[in-house]
């Protein structure tokens, strides 16, 4: 009797394991297929890509599609443009947001609570409200078709990151500040030499998140950048698409090659920083 | 130790110095633009000449004289109504599947998560090709099953379902939030339940879902807000004949923010576009408030005993 029951339990366990694995495998195949299709299409040529049935691995691998893509748009140049904007924005975001976060977490000044609530409230405001007045403002400053509208706001703090860093600073014991103050250190020095280094995990999360935000930003370059040579990767990729779609026969293989090139940095950073992505998402999300 | 007046002044000055970057940003990038946007929504303004004050006329026009306003509202509602619940379900299913102690589970997690942190323009171009009626991946696959696939992005009926389908590929972010919540459920709860003889579906509805309801609620709010603002994929994927033609075919993918963008940055109707932005703000605010009210019925917050 007990033996029969045990067998039953064993059987149920393996059945459950089998169902779990097969569901996971089927779903992950579905999730992976678009990326595999992207890679595969990027190595076809104009004839083989339209063949029926489709050959996942073409007889001849057309790596030259990647060169063709780079002659249609200067991807190398756009890579440098985007890198410059991204690095500057990350520096600005980390500096300004961590300064403000330190102020909100550590210094007891008048109006702190009200101002912090205001800071949180601006997170809820949809960007569509401010984007038109900001465009008008930057246009009046003569900043259209420069990188200033993309970069300067980063140096003026970002509510989400201020919130994230403040939460982390609050978890660092105040005794560190007190001890340093007794030793005669200034607040700025305490912030820079003690608190900020201790907050490295939170800073890393901010870096990763702002990288993703800026590197993939499409909207701001779209409305502010007009010159072809100043474009970013996303803007350039969209230009390439417009050009190819408008040219008669659609060279999907070239578009796919360009897309692969644009996605490579994303995927590299994803694998380098997967841990931080998950953590950041969970700080952003409410827990329990 | 007494705190002298000069100490207090010093503390205030220090505090304001530290938050000054944000404070300047708040004035010039948030508060100022909000006020200015309200003013703009009452003007006719193309940036080339001085703004002309017309009071409530923009709001009157969009409510009574602009069929495209309602088209874009309908398209957006359609998109939100399907992509949010479907995305919620899929991200929950994936999270539950991943919340098991299985060999190789982190590989599956990576596969599901990766598409959500890639580049929307590149992804949009990829999906344009997937949706290609003759040679795209999707219709080739459907044909394999003997189904003649629709025209997808070139069909008025199928363009929105296509974009909804594509949005499901990016549910990884929500999935991770759900997964973290699932991993936070104490094992004892399940042990107690299985001692009481609770079946697995009862455990799902009486333990798992209530325990992760705050995460589900967070996802719901973020998804609703995000879906109302759907833009990039519509702009990239639906321009059939160059600038100005985005949102086709026959305006079937003219979503609210795309319409706003076209008014502001293609037609330079800055005043009208501002009034559209305020309508969007009010709609999102209403939806969020309704969700917060409804949440009292289904979201369960565990209160820490120590805080009582």
């Amino acid at each position: 009797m007990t033996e029969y029951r045990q067998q039953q339990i064993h059987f149920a366990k393996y059945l459950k394991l089998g169902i779990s694995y097969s569901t996971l495998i089927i779903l992950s195949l579905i999730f992976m297929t678009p990326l595999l299709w992207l890679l595969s299409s990027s190595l076809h040529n104009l004839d083989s890509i339209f063949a029926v049935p489709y050959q996942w691995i073409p007889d001849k691998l057309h790596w030259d599609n990647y060169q063709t893509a780079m002659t249609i748009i200067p991807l190398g140049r756009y890579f440098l443009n985007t890198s410059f904007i991204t690095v500057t924005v990350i520096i600005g975001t980390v500096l300004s947001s961590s300064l403000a976060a330190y102020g909100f977490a550590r210094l007891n000044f008048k109006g702190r609570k009200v101002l912090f609530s205001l800071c949180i409230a601006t997170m809820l405001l949809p960007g569509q409200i401010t984007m038109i007045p900001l465009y008008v403002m930057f246009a009046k400053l003569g900043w259209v078709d420069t990188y200033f509208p993309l970069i300067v706001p980063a140096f003026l703090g970002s509510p989400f990151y201020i919130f994230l860093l403040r939460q982390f600073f609050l978890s660092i014991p105040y005794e560190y500040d007190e001890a340093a103050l007794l030793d005669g250190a200034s607040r700025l020095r305490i912030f820079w030499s003690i608190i900020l280094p201790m907050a490295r995990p939170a800073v890393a999360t901010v870096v990763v998140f702002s990288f993703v935000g800026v590197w993939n930003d499409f909207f701001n370059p779209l409305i502010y950048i007009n010159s072809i040579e100043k474009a970013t990767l996303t803007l350039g990729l969209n230009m390439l698409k417009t050009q190819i779609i408008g040219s008669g026969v659609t060279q999907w293989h070239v578009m796919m090659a360009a897309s692969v090139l644009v996605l490579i940095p994303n995927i590299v950073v994803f694998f380098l920083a997967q841990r931080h992505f998950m953590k950041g998402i969970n700080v952003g999300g409410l827990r329990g | 130790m007494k705190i002298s007046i000069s100490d207090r002044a010093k503390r205030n000055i220090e505090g304001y110095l530290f938050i000054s970057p944000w404070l300047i940003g708040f004035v010039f990038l948030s508060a100022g633009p909000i006020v200015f946007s309200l003013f703009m929504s009452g003007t006719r303004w193309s940036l080339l000449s001085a703004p002309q004050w017309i009071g409530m006329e923009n709001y009157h026009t969009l409510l009574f004289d602009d069929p495209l306003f309602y088209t874009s509202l309908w398209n957006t509602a359609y998109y939100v109504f399907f992509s949010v619940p479907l995305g919620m379900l899929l991200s929950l299913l994936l999270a539950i599947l991943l919340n098991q102690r299985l060999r190789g589970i982190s590989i599956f997690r990576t596969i599901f998560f990766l598409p959500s942190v890639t580049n929307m323009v590149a992804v949009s171009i990829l999906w344009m090709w997937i949706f290609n009626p003759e040679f795209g991946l999707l219709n080739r696959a459907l044909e394999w099953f003997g189904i003649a696939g629709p025209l997808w992005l070139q069909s008025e009926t199928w363009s929105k379902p296509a974009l909804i389908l594509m949005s499901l590929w990016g549910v990884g972010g929500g999935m991770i939030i759900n997964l973290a919540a699932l991993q936070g459920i104490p094992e004892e709860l399940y042990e107690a339940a299985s001692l009481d003889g609770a079946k697995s579906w009862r455990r799902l509805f009486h333990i798992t879902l209530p325990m992760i309801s705050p995460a589900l609620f967070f996802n719901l709010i973020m998804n609703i807000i995000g879906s109302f603002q759907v833009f990039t994929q519509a702009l990239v994927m639906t321009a059939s004949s160059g600038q100005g033609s985005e949102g086709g075919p026959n305006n079937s993918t003219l979503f609210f923010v795309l319409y706003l963008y076209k008014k502001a940055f293609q037609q330079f109707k800055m005043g009208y576009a501002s009034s559209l932005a305020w309508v969007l703000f009010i709609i999102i605010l209403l939806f969020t408030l309704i969700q917060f009210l409804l949440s009292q019925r289904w979201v369960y917050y565990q209160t820490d005993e120590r805080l009582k």
Side-chain angles (χ1 to χ4, degrees):
Chain A
M1 181 70 186
T2 44
E3 204 173 294
Y4 173 70
R5 173 116 180 92
Q6 252 175 0
Q7 265 180 352
Q8 228 183 0
I9 291 173
H10 264 289
F11 178 71
K13 216 177 98 185
Y14 282 114
L15 185 71
K16 199 178 159 239
L17 201 67
I19 293 174
S20 291
Y21 265 118
S22 39
T23 322
L24 279 169
I25 288 170
I26 292 170
L27 281 170
S28 56
L29 277 177
I30 296 175
F31 265 74
M32 262 188 340
T33 312
L35 286 177
L36 296 176
W37 163 261
L38 167 74
L39 207 60
S40 155
S41 298
S42 76
L43 296 170
H44 275 279
N45 69 7
L46 198 51
D47 294 325
S48 64
I49 200 170
F50 295 130
V52 180
Y54 183 76
Q55 252 187 311
W56 280 88
I57 300 167
D59 293 331
K60 191 170 173 291
L61 299 178
H62 291 270
W63 294 103
D64 51 300
N65 292 337
Y66 288 82
Q67 274 170 323
T68 313
M70 295 185 63
T71 54
I72 298 178
I73 51 165
L75 275 174
R77 161 117 212 191
Y78 295 163
F79 179 85
L80 291 179
N81 291 348
T82 313
S83 304
F84 170 73
I85 295 169
T86 305
V87 170
T88 320
V89 165
I90 288 176
I91 292 172
T93 305
V94 169
L95 280 181
S96 61
S97 298
S98 61
L99 276 170
Y102 182 84
F104 282 128
R106 283 294 203 255
L107 298 168
N108 197 9
F109 55 90
K110 228 182 193 162
R112 182 182 63 162
K113 281 191 178 143
V114 177
L115 287 172
F116 187 65
S117 314
L118 275 176
C119 177
I120 297 299
T122 52
M123 267 201 275
L124 305 173
L125 194 79
Q128 286 80 19
I129 296 276
T130 50
M131 83 193 185
I132 296 166
L134 285 178
Y135 182 83
V136 173
M137 183 173 87
F138 290 137
K140 296 283 170 203
L141 288 170
W143 284 3
V144 170
D145 207 24
T146 71
Y147 290 152
F148 289 121
L150 311 180
I151 287 170
V152 172
F155 285 84
L156 300 176
S158 155
F160 175 65
Y161 300 130
I162 292 174
F163 174 72
L164 198 149
L165 289 164
R166 172 185 173 268
Q167 298 307 97
F168 196 92
F169 291 165
L170 285 177
S171 72
I172 300 173
Y174 191 64
E175 279 76 25
Y176 286 100
D177 303 51
E178 268 176 345
L181 279 174
L182 283 178
D183 286 346
S186 71
R187 285 287 183 181
L188 197 60
R189 183 157 176 92
I190 297 170
F191 160 75
W192 186 253
S193 314
I194 300 174
I195 303 297
L196 202 55
M198 287 176 82
R200 211 172 282 148
V203 172
T205 303
V206 172
V207 169
V208 169
F209 268 57
S210 44
F211 170 85
V212 175
V214 188
W215 189 269
N216 298 323
D217 185 16
F218 178 59
F219 193 82
N220 287 306
L222 178 71
I223 62 175
Y224 288 113
I225 304 299
N226 306 322
S227 308
I228 292 175
E229 73 273 10
K230 287 181 191 160
T232 59
L233 279 173
T234 51
L235 205 54
L237 188 61
N238 192 45
M239 282 165 15
L240 171 120
K241 180 221 74 183
T242 309
Q243 207 167 323
I244 288 184
I245 296 275
S247 71
V249 185
T250 308
Q251 295 175 300
W252 289 104
H253 49 292
V254 180
M255 288 213 275
M256 293 306 115
S259 299
V260 170
L261 288 174
V262 171
L263 281 176
I264 285 173
N266 278 86
I267 290 174
V268 170
V269 169
F270 175 79
F271 280 105
L272 288 178
Q274 210 183 139
R275 222 159 31 92
H276 295 295
F277 276 108
M278 312 231 174
K279 214 169 45 202
I281 283 181
N282 289 326
V283 176
L286 313 166
R287 295 210 55 185
Chain B
M1 204 161 65
K2 266 204 313 192
I3 297 172
S4 66
I5 294 172
S6 72
D7 269 355
R8 193 171 301 161
K10 189 176 162 240
R11 224 169 42 190
N12 281 339
I13 291 170
E14 261 177 353
Y16 278 94
L17 278 178
F18 268 95
I19 66 161
S20 60
W22 168 75
L23 206 54
I24 296 168
F26 175 72
V27 171
F28 287 99
L29 303 178
S30 299
I34 292 169
V35 176
F36 195 46
S37 170
L38 255 185
F39 160 75
M40 282 177 78
S41 76
T43 66
R44 186 178 293 133
W45 195 9
S46 69
L47 291 190
L48 294 171
S49 50
Q52 189 190 343
W53 181 256
I54 53 171
M56 297 298 282
E57 201 184 301
N58 284 331
Y59 293 98
H60 192 272
T61 309
L62 65 86
L63 285 177
F64 302 109
D65 248 341
D66 184 0
L68 280 183
F69 166 73
Y70 288 104
T71 308
S72 68
L73 214 53
W74 160 248
N75 290 337
T76 312
Y78 185 116
Y79 182 81
V80 172
F81 187 79
F82 286 103
S83 91
V84 172
L86 291 174
M88 295 276 297
L89 265 179
L90 185 60
S91 64
L92 178 64
L93 173 73
L94 293 177
I96 289 175
L97 279 170
L98 288 177
N99 189 34
Q100 305 180 80
R101 280 199 200 91
L102 296 179
R103 204 176 283 235
I105 203 80
S106 65
I107 299 171
F108 292 118
R109 190 183 56 201
T110 303
I111 291 171
F112 297 139
F113 188 35
L114 179 65
S116 67
V117 283
T118 46
N119 183 299
M120 192 40 116
V121 177
V123 165
S124 298
I125 291 175
L126 163 62
W127 281 83
M128 277 174 88
W129 173 222
I130 289 176
F131 286 131
N132 184 287
E134 269 178 286
F135 304 106
L137 173 66
L138 191 53
N139 279 1
R140 280 182 194 255
L142 287 174
E143 208 179 298
W144 197 67
F145 289 106
I147 304 166
L151 293 173
W152 297 114
L153 295 170
Q154 292 159 35
S155 145
E156 229 176 286
T157 322
W158 288 98
S159 54
K160 282 188 285 288
L163 294 178
I164 291 162
L165 188 68
M166 174 184 154
S167 77
L168 295 182
W169 196 50
V171 296
M175 176 197 78
I176 294 290
I177 292 175
N178 285 335
L179 183 60
L182 285 172
Q183 286 167 350
I185 302 178
E187 202 69 34
E188 302 94 78
L189 281 179
Y190 289 113
E191 281 161 16
S194 64
L195 281 181
D196 290 347
K199 290 267 188 305
S200 54
W201 65 270
R202 288 203 57 178
R203 287 207 296 267
L204 177 69
F205 282 99
H206 292 280
I207 301 175
T208 310
L209 292 183
M211 287 299 285
I212 65 163
S213 56
L216 293 174
F217 179 58
F218 177 80
N219 279 341
L220 180 69
I221 297 284
M222 297 315 269
N223 286 348
I224 289 180
I225 294 176
S227 304
F228 264 112
Q229 301 179 337
V230 53
F231 172 76
T232 303
Q233 50 276 60
L235 183 90
V236 173
M237 296 169 76
T238 63
S240 50
S241 55
Q243 225 206 25
S245 67
E246 302 91 351
N250 197 16
N251 295 318
S252 63
T253 55
L254 185 71
F255 296 111
F256 202 93
V257 175
L258 181 58
Y259 185 50
L260 193 160
Y261 163 81
K262 290 174 86 165
K263 280 284 171 216
F265 299 105
Q266 289 179 352
Q267 301 166 18
F268 288 97
K269 293 184 174 166
M270 293 295 179
Y272 194 72
S274 298
S275 65
L276 286 173
W278 280 97
V279 171
L280 178 71
F281 174 59
I282 288 164
I283 292 173
I284 291 181
L285 194 68
L286 275 178
F287 264 82
T288 313
L289 283 178
I290 290 171
Q291 290 307 329
F292 265 97
L293 288 177
L294 288 177
S295 77
Q296 290 167 352
R297 295 179 171 205
W298 65 274
V299 179
Y300 167 76
Y301 289 101
Q302 239 187 316
T303 326
D304 194 326
E305 290 299 321
R306 284 165 301 181
L307 292 177
K308 273 185 182 168

